[in-house]
C-alpha cells in the first residue's frame, strides 16, 4: 500500500512534465499565472521538469510551444493542471485518459458546490478517473505548492502573494483562498512549508490519501489540515491512526456551528456533520484539534522544531525576566490542563547560591529586570537538570537594559540542542523583539509573542506525547 500511494501521489509533487490545460498569454488569467509560476521556477532552476502549455488558439507563449490538444502532448507528461470552464472538463478528462496521464489537478470551480448540475459533472469526471486509474486533486481548488521542486499551481501571482520558504510542515486545505492566505502569512512569519495541497471539493484525493502519503514523506515532520467536512469517515480514521503513531497531525475543523455548517455546504459541498463527532474522532485517532488558525501554526511550529524530544510529562517550568509575564504563563498552565513543576531542593539551592537576593527562585523563576544572559543560563541549566521539570518555557523581555541579546540567543539555542527537554521561548515586544525572535527560530527555538500562546503550544506537545504513550502501551 505504501509503495502504491507514494507512486500515485509523486507526479503531483515532483512531475517529470506538466501540461497546463488552459494556459494563456493573457496576464492575470488563471491559466497564465499557473504557466508563469512554472516558467519562472524553471528559469530559477527549481522546477526540473518539462512545461507543456495547452491551448487550441495559441502556438507559442513566452517562447514555449503551445499544444493544441491533450492528444498532441509528449509522452513524458505525468501531471495535467486544468483551468478551463467546467463544462469542458469531462471531455478533457477523456483525452487525458486516452493519453495515459495519471495525475490531474482541476483548478476550475463550478461543480458540486453549485448544486445538482455541478454534481453530475463531478460524477462524470470521477467515473472517467476511476475507470482509468487517474488520481485527481480538486476541483474548485488552488492545487499544489512545493518550494523544493517548483510545483506551484496557486493562481495568485507572486507580486500579490509571497511564497513561504521550504520547511518540515505540510499544509492541506479544503479552501483555496484560505490556503493562499496562509501561504502568504507563512512567508511573512518565516514559517517553512514543505508541501501545500488545496483539494477543494475532494472529488478523489482526500485527507486519508494525503495522510498515507505524508506518512512516508521524510521531508515532512508534521501535517496540518483545514477541514470543512469528511466524506468517508472510516477511511479517514484508519489513515489517521496510521500516521499519528509516527507524525503529529493537527486539524482545524470549521463548520462547528449551524451557520458555519451551512456555509461549508455552499463553499465546497461539504457535509460538516455534528461537531461532537469530529471531536470524538480526533481524540480517538490522536489528531490534535486546533481552535483557530493561530493555534494551528503555533502547534505546527512547536512540532516542527521539537518533535524529536517530546515532554515526558506535563510539569512545566517557567523562567522569566518579567513578573507579570510569569503570572500570565502560570495562569495559562492551569488553563490548558498542565501542571506547574515543583522544583527540587537541589535546583532551589543551586539558584539561591548564585542569584542576587532580589531574584525570585521558584516556579516561575524570575531573573528580574536587571538580568544579564548569565542569570538566564544558570536558570536554564538548573531546570534542564531538575527531574521534576518536563518542559521549559523561557520568557525573554529583550527590552531590559543589561541583557545581551546575542548571548541569550546562543544560550537558548545551546540548551535546546543539548537538553532532552523541549524548550519554547516567549518574546513580547515590537519590531526589535521580532528580529531577535526570528534569530532564535533560525536556531531551533520556537518563539511565541505571548505567554498564553507559548504554553498552549507546549500543551499540544504534552497531549501528543500522552497519546503516543497510550498507543504504545496497547
Amino acid at each position: 500500500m505504501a509503495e502504491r500511494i507514494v507512486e500515485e501521489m509523486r507526479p503531483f509533487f515532483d512531475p517529470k512534465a506538466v501540461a497546463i490545460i488552459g494556459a494563456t498569454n493573457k496576464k492575470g488569467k488563471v491559466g497564465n499565472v499557473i504557466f508563469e509560476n512554472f516558467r519562472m521556477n524553471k528559469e530559477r532552476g527549481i522546477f526540473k521538469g518539462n512545461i507543456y502549455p495547452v491551448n487550441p488558439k495559441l502556438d507559442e507563449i513566452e517562447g514555449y510551444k503551445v499544444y493544441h490538444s491533450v492528444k498532441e502532448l509528449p509522452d513524458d507528461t505525468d501531471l495535467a493542471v486544468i483551468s478551463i470552464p467546467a463544462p469542458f472538463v469531462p471531455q478533457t478528462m477523456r483525452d487525458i485518459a486516452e493519453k495515459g496521464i495519471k495525475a490531474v489537478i482541476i483548478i476550475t470551480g463550478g461543480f458540486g458546490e453549485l448544486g445538482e448540475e455541478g454534481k453530475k459533472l463531478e460524477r462524470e469526471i470521477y467515473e472517467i478517473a476511476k475507470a482509468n486509474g487517474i488520481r485527481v486533486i480538486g476541483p474548485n481548488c488552488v492545487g499544489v505548492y512545493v518550494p523544493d521542486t517548483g510545483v506551484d499551481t496557486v493562481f495568485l501571482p507572486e507580486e500579490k502573494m509571497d511564497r513561504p520558504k521550504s520547511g518540515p510542515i505540510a499544509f492541506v486545505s479544503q479552501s483555496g483562498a484560505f490556503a493562499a492566505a496562509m501561504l502568504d502569512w507563512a512567508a511573512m512569519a518565516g514559517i517553512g512549508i514543505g508541501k501545500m495541497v488545496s483539494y477543494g471539493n475532494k472529488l478523489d484525493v482526500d485527507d486519508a490519501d494525503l495522510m498515507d502519503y505524508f506518512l512516508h514523506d521524510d521531508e515532512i515532520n508534521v501535517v496540518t489540515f483545514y477541514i470543512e467536512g469528511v466524506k468517508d469517515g472510516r477511511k479517514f480514521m484508519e489513515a489517521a491512526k496510521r500516521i499519528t503513531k509516527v507524525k503529529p497531525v493537527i486539524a482545524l475543523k470549521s463548520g462547528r456551528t449551524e451557520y458555519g455548517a451551512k456555509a461549508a455546504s455552499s463553499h465546497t459541498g461539504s457535509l460538516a456533520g455534528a461537531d461532537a463527532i469530529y471531536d470524538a474522532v480526533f481524540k480517538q485517532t490522536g489528531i490534535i484539534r486546533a481552535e483557530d488558525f493561530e493555534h494551528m501554526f503555533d502547534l505546527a511550529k512547536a512540532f516542527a522544531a521539537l518533535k524529536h524530544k517530546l515532554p515526558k510529562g506535563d510539569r512545566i517550568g517557567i523562567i522569566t525576566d518579567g513578573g507579570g509575564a510569569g503570572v500570565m504563563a502560570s495562569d495559562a498552565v492551569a488553563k490548558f490542563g498542565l501542571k506547574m513543576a515543583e522544583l527540587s531542593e537541589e535546583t532551589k539551592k543551586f539558584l539561591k547560591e548564585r542569584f542576587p537576593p532580589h531574584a525570585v527562585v521558584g516556579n516561575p523563576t524570575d531573573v528580574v529586570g536587571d538580568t544579564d544572559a548569565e542569570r538566564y543560563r544558570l536558570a536554564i541549566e538548573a531546570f534542564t537538570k531538575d527531574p521534576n521539570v518536563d518542559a521549559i518555557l523561557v520568557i525573554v523581555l529583550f527590552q531590559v537594559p543589561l541583557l545581551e541579546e546575542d548571548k541569550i540567543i546562543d544560550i537558548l539555542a545551546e540548551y535546546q540542542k543539548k537538553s532532552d527537554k523541549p524548550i519554547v521561548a516567549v518574546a513580547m515586544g515590537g519590531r526589535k523583539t521580532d528580529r531577535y525572535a526570528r534569530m532564535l527560530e533560525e536556531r531551533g527555538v520556537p518563539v511565541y509573542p505571548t505567554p498564553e500562546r507559548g504554553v498552549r503550544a507546549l500543551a499540544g506537545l504534552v497531549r501528543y506525547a500522552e497519546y503516543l504513550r497510550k498507543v504504545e502501551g496497547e
Side-chain angles (χ1 to χ4, degrees), residues 16-72:
K16 294 172 188 160
V18 58
I20 301 158
I21 301 164
T24 172
N25 54 8
K26 293 178 182 172
K27 297 293 178 190
K29 299 280 281 186
V30 171
N32 179 260
V33 176
I34 295 170
F35 168 77
E36 285 294 325
N37 291 345
F38 279 100
R39 186 187 68 79
M40 287 190 291
N41 283 338
K42 179 93 176 166
E43 286 184 4
R44 293 167 181 151
I46 305 169
F47 184 66
K48 309 285 189 193
N50 293 317
I51 303 170
Y52 304 135
V54 180
N55 187 324
K57 297 176 181 173
L58 296 173
D59 296 322
E60 177 265 331
I61 306 175
E62 299 276 349
Y64 282 77
K65 174 185 174 181
V66 177
Y67 295 84
H68 290 173
S69 76
V70 170
K71 292 175 183 175
E72 295 176 8

Side-chain angles (χ1 to χ4, degrees), residues 45-122:
I46 305 169
F47 184 66
K48 309 285 189 193
N50 293 317
I51 303 170
Y52 304 135
V54 180
N55 187 324
K57 297 176 181 173
L58 296 173
D59 296 322
E60 177 265 331
I61 306 175
E62 299 276 349
Y64 282 77
K65 174 185 174 181
V66 177
Y67 295 84
H68 290 173
S69 76
V70 170
K71 292 175 183 175
E72 295 176 8
L73 285 167
D75 290 339
D76 63 342
T77 312
D78 55 353
L79 172 65
V81 182
I82 299 177
S83 64
I84 57 176
F88 300 107
V89 176
Q91 182 54 48
T92 302
M93 282 295 292
R94 289 188 193 92
D95 293 342
I96 285 170
E98 194 177 321
K99 192 69 197 171
I101 300 168
K102 299 297 185 188
V104 176
I105 300 171
I106 304 175
I107 303 293
T108 310
F111 289 95
E113 75 277 15
L114 292 189
E116 198 47 45
E117 280 304 308
K119 286 179 184 171
K120 276 185 190 174
L121 282 177
E122 279 192 358

Side-chain angles (χ1 to χ4, degrees), residues 151-162:
V151 173
D152 185 352
T153 68
V154 180
F155 55 85
L156 292 97
E158 286 190 15
E159 59 266 27
K160 294 203 172 189
M161 191 201 97
D162 289 330

Side-chain angles (χ1 to χ4, degrees), residues 3-293:
E3 287 180 5
R4 179 181 62 79
I5 194 74
V6 169
E7 185 54 30
E8 285 178 356
M9 295 291 116
R10 184 200 52 75
F12 290 115
F13 304 115
D14 189 15
K16 294 172 188 160
V18 58
I20 301 158
I21 301 164
T24 172
N25 54 8
K26 293 178 182 172
K27 297 293 178 190
K29 299 280 281 186
V30 171
N32 179 260
V33 176
I34 295 170
F35 168 77
E36 285 294 325
N37 291 345
F38 279 100
R39 186 187 68 79
M40 287 190 291
N41 283 338
K42 179 93 176 166
E43 286 184 4
R44 293 167 181 151
I46 305 169
F47 184 66
K48 309 285 189 193
N50 293 317
I51 303 170
Y52 304 135
V54 180
N55 187 324
K57 297 176 181 173
L58 296 173
D59 296 322
E60 177 265 331
I61 306 175
E62 299 276 349
Y64 282 77
K65 174 185 174 181
V66 177
Y67 295 84
H68 290 173
S69 76
V70 170
K71 292 175 183 175
E72 295 176 8
L73 285 167
D75 290 339
D76 63 342
T77 312
D78 55 353
L79 172 65
V81 182
I82 299 177
S83 64
I84 57 176
F88 300 107
V89 176
Q91 182 54 48
T92 302
M93 282 295 292
R94 289 188 193 92
D95 293 342
I96 285 170
E98 194 177 321
K99 192 69 197 171
I101 300 168
K102 299 297 185 188
V104 176
I105 300 171
I106 304 175
I107 303 293
T108 310
F111 289 95
E113 75 277 15
L114 292 189
E116 198 47 45
E117 280 304 308
K119 286 179 184 171
K120 276 185 190 174
L121 282 177
E122 279 192 358
R123 282 195 291 273
E124 196 176 348
I125 294 166
Y126 180 74
E127 284 165 12
I128 297 165
K130 200 73 178 168
N132 293 279
I134 301 169
R135 300 309 311 261
V136 179
I137 289 177
N140 187 27
C141 68
V142 298
V144 175
Y145 169 73
V146 187
D148 287 338
T149 62
V151 173
D152 185 352
T153 68
V154 180
F155 55 85
L156 292 97
E158 286 190 15
E159 59 266 27
K160 294 203 172 189
M161 191 201 97
D162 289 330
R163 267 63 170 174
K165 64 182 180 180
S166 180
I169 300 171
F171 176 60
V172 180
S173 173
Q174 201 156 357
S175 164
F178 184 73
M182 187 287 305
L183 289 180
D184 200 13
W185 173 82
M188 181 190 69
I191 293 176
I193 302 292
K195 292 183 176 70
M196 185 285 295
V197 179
S198 151
Y199 50 29
N201 294 7
K202 287 196 281 195
L203 180 143
D204 173 39
V205 172
D206 61 13
D207 320 88
D209 294 318
L210 291 166
M211 282 191 276
D212 278 333
Y213 174 79
F214 288 128
L215 170 60
H216 303 287
D217 186 338
D218 294 336
E219 306 298 318
I220 297 301
N221 287 348
V222 51
V223 182
T224 58
F225 280 93
Y226 167 72
I227 298 173
E228 291 182 358
V230 170
K231 287 180 179 172
D232 187 335
R234 183 176 295 276
K235 183 182 172 192
F236 179 90
M237 287 182 70
E238 288 171 357
K241 284 179 181 174
R242 283 192 287 272
I243 190 172
T244 53
K245 288 176 185 170
V246 181
K247 299 179 183 184
V249 175
I250 303 158
L252 174 57
K253 164 71 177 65
S254 64
R256 301 181 79 154
T257 64
E258 183 186 344
Y259 294 144
K262 192 175 174 185
S265 177
S266 61
H267 180 213
T268 53
S270 290
L271 292 171
D275 196 61
I277 294 174
Y278 281 96
D279 248 346
V281 167
F282 291 160
K283 280 178 188 160
Q284 194 178 336
T285 58
I287 291 177
I288 302 159
R289 185 166 192 169
E291 295 301 316
D292 49 40
F293 171 82

